[in-house]
Amino acid sequence: MEAGGDTAVPAPGDAEDLEETRVPNEETGDGGGAREDPTDFGDGVLEETGSETKDQPPNLLSPLAQSESPSCSCGLWDPAASENSPISDPESSSGGQGGDPSDEDWRSKRKHVFVLSEAGKPIYSRYGSVEALSTTMGVMTALVSFVQSAGDAIRTIYAEDHKLVFLQQGPLLLVAVSRTPQSAAQLRGELLAVHAQIVSTLTRASVARIFARKQNYDLRRLLAGSERTLDRLLDSVERDPGALLLGAVRCVPLARPLREALGALLRRCTAPGLALSVLAVGGQLVTAAQERTVLAECRLDPADLQLLLNWVSAPAFAAGEAWAPVCLPRFNPDGFFYAYVARLDAMPVCLLLLGTDPEAFHDMATCRRLVEDGMHNLGAMRTLAEAASFSNTPSASAPSYSVQAVGAPGLRHFLYKPLDIPDQHRQLPQFTSPELEAPYSSEEERQRLSDLYHRLHARLHSPSRPLRLIYHVAEKETLLAWVTSKFELYTCLSPLVTKAGAILVVTKLLRWVKKEEDRLFIRCPPKYSTPPASSSASTDQASHNGLFIGP
């Protein structure tokens, strides 16, 4: 058990009116707005260093009232659609049956994630029903309270092949119980992502205010249906660990002229109060444009963007338009934007517009039509549809190129993140990797490769003895991990590759990435200045928006 504690970083702003904003759920047809330890390798490793007090939940009204809904067939988000989605897994849902700790199937899971309140009220469980796990969560609360009574904070418990990681965030307690090779720091990163997803729906200020008024409040009332979003987040971490491990976002490989043309298009299509425009396909970023004043205050954080991409990947967003309040925890955990989400031309291309004006739905819809027309003129729809076709594979984040494109025999897979980015570009941290091919076609093999990447990452970033280079010979593959001032790289090679051969493969890979970097990454993100909001909207801005607070 490790002693210590994590402290949340305070941020400006407030979201008082969020308690007047109705939260939808994915289980009803509500027509409201969408809301939303170092690890040892063993032998064979060569290391080179170099809301309210009543029992009823707060009445959270959509920023766009029902009677004021736009007269379009798309309307607001209907989260009920996700319940009938074929990707829903009742067994894996927090609202599913089972969850009794004596159940063998439940105990066989490699990793569990729990969210509960300080008072021991269950909020979320990755597997099974929270009702069946209330006793287990009560034990967790008792453990935390016992250690806190001694003036300490519980962080990690190691028990045989299990790790129990605890994370206190305000009135919420998050716990991970894992028998995976992930380090305690990596598990804590997942818990932070789960907490951020909850905050993106309710804001940190609202959660704190609710529990200050009623300590044993059942937060599931406000998060009803959001369990699916949390499930998708944890699923994506299991399938594609690169984003969380590297703290970066994956971009769709695209020719630089087309990407720049799309960025210029987003820059031209603005509306009063528009702060951020994002174009994505298949859960990957195409391009994004930030308003200049917003960019001057804070660059877009990859963790916030990942939350947005996870949020809009809900089946309920598969078609039409939606208008929803959403918080970006890294930007300001106590405020929120108003998000306009639309699928373009009935395709998997998604346009996400974040603004500060609660009455700007029609302006955002106009922007959407301009972007859609501009993309047709550029011929971008077909190109992006081809890129999205790769995302129909079991990995929802599958990229659109093969490792064979590198032309390095023996190379099976890699994760690459550039680090030599001039700060004045305010560039979003990005990474790239090819699609997983044989012998990593099965779920079991993909999981094994993910475990190997987690081990390498834990060794490179060990707090006691960080490394710069690791060459590891495993049973079925050879791995090389390398971090420099210019890049962070993880490669998976054929088991027959020698050390000298591995260096040649990596050299060839680095040359290929350098040659293709304009296609793989957004080099200079576009910026724009929006027209001023109307006077009526600006006078209400302080009460409606916690992101831009005046002195």
Side-chain angles (χ1 to χ4, degrees):
M1 182 166 62
E2 301 173 358
D6 294 322
T7 311
V9 178
D14 195 7
E16 190 73 37
D17 65 310
L18 189 61
E19 294 187 17
E20 301 175 0
T21 308
R22 186 158 54 95
V23 175
N25 63 70
E26 298 196 17
E27 297 177 357
T28 66
D30 195 347
R35 297 263 332 177
E36 218 271 48
D37 97 22
T39 307
D40 251 338
F41 278 110
D43 296 328
V45 181
L46 174 67
E47 302 171 359
E48 298 182 29
T49 59
S51 93
E52 294 185 5
T53 58
K54 301 178 183 177
D55 271 346
Q56 297 300 322
N59 180 26
L60 299 173
L61 271 181
S62 168
L64 185 63
Q66 194 82 345
S67 60
E68 301 172 11
S69 297
S71 57
C72 62
S73 59
C74 304
L76 301 175
W77 179 27
D78 180 11
S82 63
E83 286 300 302
N84 301 321
S85 169
I87 69 169
S88 296
D89 183 2
E91 183 273 334
S92 68
S93 169
S94 58
Q97 299 301 313
D100 190 330
S102 63
D103 181 61
E104 277 303 316
D105 186 52
W106 185 86
R107 293 168 65 90
S108 68
K109 302 300 181 183
R110 300 173 76 233
K111 181 167 58 183
H112 292 268
V113 173
F114 307 97
V115 183
L116 55 152
S117 68
E118 280 184 313
K121 277 280 188 181
I123 296 172
Y124 171 79
S125 171
R126 177 65 185 91
Y127 297 105
S129 166
V130 290
E131 288 83 1
L133 294 166
S134 57
T135 304
T136 303
M137 294 192 182
V139 173
M140 296 175 184
T141 307
L143 277 170
V144 172
S145 299
F146 177 77
V147 176
Q148 284 180 343
S149 66
D152 209 337
I154 188 169
R155 289 171 59 87
T156 310
I157 297 176
Y158 297 89
E160 295 184 352
D161 62 338
H162 283 77
K163 294 186 192 76
L164 287 78
V165 177
F166 297 78
L167 179 67
Q168 182 91 38
Q169 292 288 287
L172 301 184
L173 175 64
L174 299 93
V175 183
V177 181
S178 170
R179 53 186 178 87
T180 68
Q182 290 175 269
S183 67
Q186 291 166 348
L187 291 170
R188 195 167 290 113
E190 286 192 28
L191 294 180
L192 284 170
V194 170
H195 178 259
Q197 192 76 65
I198 295 173
V199 169
S200 73
T201 304
L202 301 176
T203 77
R204 185 182 64 181
S206 293
V207 173
R209 190 158 47 244
I210 288 167
F211 284 102
R213 294 174 179 173
K214 188 173 182 180
Q215 198 171 20
N216 65 340
Y217 185 81
D218 189 352
L219 200 64
R220 287 177 295 170
R221 298 177 180 184
L222 300 184
L223 292 174
S226 296
E227 298 92 344
R228 303 291 189 204
T229 305
L230 295 173
D231 289 347
R232 281 194 304 273
L233 173 66
L234 293 171
D235 283 343
S236 67
V237 171
E238 290 287 330
R239 290 193 305 261
D240 183 21
L244 193 59
L245 278 180
L246 300 175
V249 65
R250 189 201 303 272
C251 292
V252 177
L254 205 62
R256 180 172 181 172
L258 180 56
R259 198 190 303 273
E260 290 182 344
L262 292 172
L265 179 62
L266 292 183
R267 206 162 55 237
R268 290 195 304 270
C269 302
T270 63
L274 181 60
L276 174 67
S277 305
V278 176
L279 197 61
V281 59
Q284 301 176 62
L285 179 66
V286 176
T287 189
Q290 273 188 269
E291 208 275 336
R292 290 182 185 275
T293 58
V294 177
L295 189 65
E297 291 184 16
C298 180
R299 74 183 71 189
L300 179 63
D301 193 277
D304 284 339
L305 185 54
Q306 286 296 149
L307 290 181
L308 289 173
L309 294 177
N310 178 57
W311 181 54
V312 301
S313 66
F317 285 122
E321 302 169 288
W323 182 241
V326 62
C327 171
L328 301 185
R330 295 294 184 93
F331 186 90
N332 183 355
D334 299 325
F336 57 94
F337 285 104
Y338 295 92
Y340 174 87
V341 185
R343 298 287 172 173
L344 303 184
D345 201 27
M347 295 175 67
V349 181
C350 176
L351 176 66
L352 174 63
L353 305 174
L354 299 185
T356 59
D357 185 355
E359 306 298 330
F361 176 89
H362 297 288
D363 292 328
M364 299 295 188
T366 301
C367 284
R368 172 258 178 100
R369 289 190 289 271
L370 293 174
V371 170
E372 202 167 37
D373 292 342
M375 290 181 67
H376 280 297
N377 294 335
L378 290 171
M381 286 295 190
R382 177 179 296 181
T383 303
L384 293 179
E386 291 172 356
S389 66
F390 285 85
S391 297
N392 294 326
T393 63
S395 173
S397 301
S400 52
Y401 66 94
S402 168
V403 70
Q404 304 302 323
V406 179
L411 181 62
R412 291 182 173 181
H413 192 260
F414 66 89
L415 301 173
Y416 178 90
K417 175 186 176 181
L419 300 176
D420 57 336
I421 307 299
D423 188 64
Q424 64 268 24
H425 285 175
R426 312 284 277 180
Q427 182 172 313
L428 186 70
Q430 302 158 57
F431 82 102
T432 186
S433 66
E435 59 181 307
L436 283 166
E437 302 172 348
Y440 305 106
S441 303
S442 68
E443 190 63 34
E444 181 181 357
E445 287 299 303
R446 289 170 186 246
Q447 186 63 69
R448 193 175 60 80
L449 179 61
S450 175
D451 288 347
L452 289 169
Y453 281 151
H454 278 100
R455 286 194 178 103
L456 290 170
H457 181 271
R459 291 300 299 271
L460 283 181
H461 299 278
S462 169
S464 58
R465 190 192 171 200
L467 305 175
R468 296 182 63 87
L469 180 66
I470 298 176
Y471 175 78
H472 173 57
V473 179
E475 182 182 356
K476 297 183 179 180
E477 54 268 303
T478 298
L479 298 109
L480 190 147
W482 193 8
V483 60
T484 72
S485 60
K486 295 184 176 181
F487 61 83
E488 186 170 350
L489 174 66
Y490 301 83
T491 58
C492 177
L493 311 166
S494 164
L496 302 179
V497 173
T498 63
K499 189 191 299 185
I503 294 173
L504 289 175
V505 170
V506 168
T507 301
K508 194 171 290 188
L509 170 61
L510 293 175
R511 288 173 179 168
W512 180 83
V513 170
K514 184 66 177 177
K515 176 184 174 183
E516 298 289 330
E517 63 181 3
D518 287 339
R519 189 175 69 90
L520 299 174
F521 308 111
I522 302 173
R523 302 306 295 174
C524 298
K527 300 178 286 291
Y528 58 85
S529 296
T530 60
S534 63
S535 57
S536 60
S538 61
T539 56
D540 294 336
Q541 210 60 287
S543 61
H544 280 289
N545 171 39
L547 293 168
F548 305 101
I549 303 298

